[in-house]
Amino acid sequence: MAAEPATPEDRAAALDAAEARTRLAELARLIARANAAYHSEDAPEITDADYDALKRENAALEARFPDLKRADSPSEQVGAAPADGFAKVAHAQRMLSLANAFDDSELRDFVAGIRRYLGLGADAPLAFTAEPKIDGLSLSLRYEDGKLVQAATRGDGEVGENVTANARTIADIPHRLTGAPEVLEVRGEVYMSHADFEELNTRQTARGSKTFANPRNAAAGSLRQLDPEITRARPLKFFAYSWGELSAPLAETQVDAIDRLDRFGFQTNPHTRLCRSADEMLEHYRHIEQRRATLGYDIDGVVYKVNDLGLQGRLGMRSTTPRWAIAHKFPAELAWTRLEAIDIQVGRTGALSPVARLAPVTVGGVVVSNATLHNEDYIAGRDSNGQPIRDGKDIRVGDWVQVYRAGDVIPKVADVDLTKRPDDAAPYAFPVTCPECGSEAVREEGDAVRRCTGGLVCPAQAVEKLKHFVSRAAFDIDGLGAKQVEQFYKDGWIREPADIFALQDRYGAGLQQLKNKEGWGEKSADNLFAAIAEKRSISLKRLLFSLGIRHVGEVASADLARHFATWTAMAQTVDAARSAGTAARAAEEAVATERSRAADEGRRAQITATRDAIWADVPKEARAAWEEITGIDGIGGTVAMALVTAFGQEAERASIDRLVVCLTVEPEEAPATSDSPVAGKTVVFTGSLQKMTRAEAKARAEALGAKVSGSVSAKTDLLVAGPGAGSKAKKAAELGVETIDEDAWLALIRDG
Ligand code: I6G
């Protein structure tokens, strides 16, 4: 039998004109089907590589037989317009997510942390609810005057999708409530039971429709149907576990609030229990874990919440998660399989990330064929400090490896079976050049990761930066996701973020050019331009996050935005701090060198002298700007350095400047506390506080619109000094900063 031609081009070259005509028709059909599955149904049916092969074969055939090019040629305009989505709705109160604990000690840390934050001794009573964490999708139901008026998915927590018509078809969701507050947002989880899931997949198979990989996908796919009648035919269920906006409190405790939801007619989880210690919480965790297989629906852990709602209020929030709750996840699921190859992916910061390509294996009900290998040390069998991991066993292509999945996280390679290692398996040689652009890939002192030095010249970095830019927590432009960005980049339409805002002017004329692109029709092109225009106005914290600067994630972006309020103020300070950044780096390096050299007792003085000498050359303004940035609570030298580096790097800065002129950056609004005497003031806490912990003091000050800084400078408005205040109190006195004690602070925020 003749061997199969090796490449798509070879396949095209082997056909005569008649065969080519037939094959072109077949390719048009296959590619159209793949486009529809990918763009409209969110369910790719073939791999990217297979898709590319079909496209290449089509292009090669068209090049050989131009007369046979079809009117519906895939190279011109075939493709499914993205399906019309759901309307977006802003949640009246942000839908939170939960922090995770992965073992008993993290759960004990959570309890201890809460006691510390609240200043409760080990014996003070503190109760928690514990209940199963359902593996479904969260939904927020808004009732006004007892009537269900809106149902919205979580989305990014701030804006979700309006799925009201679909939610009304779920039997567990009441349309009317009696005795409820005027406004009540009920939150909970939509899920599908195991039995219903099996039955649905059987029906789907019988009908020749696609089946679902697991109950959660089935629940999500069923709720997000454009036709509510399809949702009605799907056996969805709903457990209520929380609430958003309320016109009147539901109760004083979590248990009583859930009980009220139950009496309104919602299903609430019967395995909820009140626990009075970490030991009781862990006991209930094990109890639920033992029953996991017989519950009849998927759960992925146990959620604990502080029972007293007053304490929940005092504990408040971190940036996206409440301090008063945690999800204790069940252990990861494991499986063994063969490592077929190691590929290197290049991320937006140039990081070279090794990815394990695996012989497909089912891990906890999901087929896994890729897993992360973290970095070169991990493959070599050592941690970032050079200590052995896996008893020092390295990982080689051809090895049998253990793969594990925990919840939604990317599967990981955990272990290797040396007894099954093939004789010819060679140690993996981690690349020292970027596989995408060929630039040198270097590993800096203290960095666990090797990085491509190509910057924006590296197409992988450029594309990953763009994908990050359009991601959900960043610009979140409807209709412009990772796939579309990749396509536009390949075509040379978008090279940097600013190009997105020039798209309509450059390519939108008559929409013809965009319309001719795969997957785009007139309506979707129009929608895209409208979605881009809408995002010309953007909050400072989103803009900052979207830039993809190393170490500047969502939390740091929010901290910076809260402090600086405007783009101009931030950029000016970062620019002013640039020479201080250089000095800080030089000081760090010099100090590190001296530490390794000097072993005598004059060492400390010598190190301080070196540091002082380097800083002495830094202009005063630069030093003040650097101190302002590093003084922001939550921002340290690493973030400050990353900012000054990114802003000082010529090409990157030019790209940022080109972007910013396209935008209206909304100033960060202080919380609605204009009547508070501390709103807009910069406050520093020092010394030990007696009535509340430092963390609570900070959270309360911020909730009142104050900026909390870690260091005293000329910009400090108020120093709150407890007993034992030292150098900060001294500096405040020198600078003439008002200093008060904790009682005066409490009186100020209470009376103000
Ligand atoms: O994702 C969640 C699952 C279960 C939750 C949750 C929950 O309570 C049983 N509760 C809250 C408050 C949040 N997420 C934010």
Side-chain angles (χ1 to χ4, degrees), residues 362-427:
T362 303
V363 192
V366 172
V367 178
V368 170
S369 45
N370 302 310
T372 178
L373 284 162
H374 305 285
N375 54 49
E376 59 188 286
D377 282 343
Y378 191 80
I379 297 176
R382 52 179 183 253
D383 69 12
S384 54
N385 299 316
Q387 297 303 310
I389 49 173
R390 300 184 299 272
D391 299 327
K393 290 180 280 184
D394 70 331
I395 296 172
R396 303 182 183 185
V397 172
D399 272 339
W400 274 88
V401 290
Q402 188 190 48
V403 184
Y404 79 96
R405 271 181 73 233
D408 275 344
V409 301
I410 304 168
K412 297 185 174 107
V413 170
D415 204 357
V416 53
D417 183 348
L418 292 187
T419 64
K420 290 192 175 163
R421 174 166 283 174
D423 291 340
D424 59 351

Side-chain angles (χ1 to χ4, degrees), residues 95-98 129 131-134 138 154 187-189 240-243 254 258 302-305 320-322 324-325 327:
M95 278 185 89
L96 310 175
S97 43
L98 294 178
T129 56
E131 66 188 286
K133 184 171 190 303
I134 313 297
S138 349
R154 182 176 182 284
R187 290 177 176 173
E189 203 85 351
Y241 56 63
S242 182
W243 53 92
Q254 181 77 26
I258 297 299
V302 173
V303 176
Y304 310 105
K305 295 178 181 174
T320 57
T321 58
W324 41 264

Side-chain angles (χ1 to χ4, degrees), residues 568-706:
T568 313
M570 194 210 65
Q572 275 172 354
T573 309
V574 173
D575 285 342
R578 201 174 299 160
S579 59
T582 317
R585 181 175 292 137
E588 241 173 57
E589 280 166 12
V591 166
T593 314
E594 294 215 355
R595 272 214 183 102
S596 63
R597 212 186 293 139
D600 57 59
E601 51 183 41
R603 184 179 119 169
R604 282 188 82 173
Q606 199 176 344
I607 290 173
T608 311
T610 305
R611 187 184 283 138
D612 289 350
I614 290 171
W615 277 104
D617 287 340
V618 177
K620 225 171 100 196
E621 302 74 42
R623 198 171 175 149
W626 179 262
E627 283 175 358
E628 181 177 348
I629 301 172
T630 52
I632 300 170
D633 218 58
I635 304 292
T638 307
V639 172
M641 188 70 82
L643 278 172
V644 297
T645 306
F647 275 56
Q649 214 267 336
E650 209 177 311
E652 187 160 354
R653 178 55 181 273
S655 158
I656 294 174
D657 288 345
R658 282 191 291 270
L659 168 67
V660 172
V661 294
C662 304
L663 306 172
T664 305
V665 185
E666 299 151 10
E668 202 63 28
E669 280 175 34
T673 51
S674 51
D675 52 345
S676 157
V678 299
K681 297 270 197 308
T682 299
V683 180
V684 176
F685 292 96
T686 189
S688 58
L689 304 179
Q690 311 295 308
K691 309 252 163 69
M692 65 178 83
T693 60
R694 186 78 68 81
E696 185 175 1
K698 172 176 180 278
R700 282 175 68 176
E702 283 177 351
L704 291 167

Side-chain angles (χ1 to χ4, degrees), residues 668-749:
E668 202 63 28
E669 280 175 34
T673 51
S674 51
D675 52 345
S676 157
V678 299
K681 297 270 197 308
T682 299
V683 180
V684 176
F685 292 96
T686 189
S688 58
L689 304 179
Q690 311 295 308
K691 309 252 163 69
M692 65 178 83
T693 60
R694 186 78 68 81
E696 185 175 1
K698 172 176 180 278
R700 282 175 68 176
E702 283 177 351
L704 291 167
K707 294 179 203 170
V708 178
S709 174
S711 62
V712 174
S713 73
K715 295 205 173 171
T716 309
D717 294 301
L718 189 62
L719 179 75
V720 182
S727 61
K728 286 182 191 164
K730 200 165 143 228
K731 188 160 180 192
E734 282 163 17
L735 293 169
V737 171
E738 186 185 353
T739 301
I740 58 175
D741 65 13
E742 188 183 4
D743 285 338
W745 164 257
L746 287 173
L748 181 68
I749 59 176

Side-chain angles (χ1 to χ4, degrees), residues 67-135:
D67 294 346
L68 297 183
K69 187 166 169 175
R70 297 169 58 89
D72 63 351
S73 162
S75 59
E76 290 295 333
Q77 56 187 4
V78 177
D84 271 353
F86 295 92
K88 294 275 158 88
V89 278
H91 296 296
Q93 243 181 44
R94 205 180 161 158
M95 278 185 89
L96 310 175
S97 43
L98 294 178
N100 292 319
F102 290 102
D103 57 31
D104 292 4
S105 77
E106 287 182 3
L107 182 267
R108 289 186 192 280
D109 288 350
F110 164 73
V111 174
I114 287 192
R115 285 190 176 277
R116 234 185 353 263
Y117 187 100
L118 294 172
L120 295 178
D123 297 331
L126 180 64
F128 293 84
T129 56
E131 66 188 286
K133 184 171 190 303
I134 313 297
D135 197 6

Side-chain angles (χ1 to χ4, degrees), residues 51 55 77 140 171 179 185 297 314 342 380 562 594 703 707:
Y51 180 80
K55 295 287 302 282
Q77 56 187 4
S140 182
E185 280 182 1
Y297 46 84
R314 271 181 67 191
I342 297 176
R562 207 177 303 117
E594 294 215 355
K707 294 179 203 170

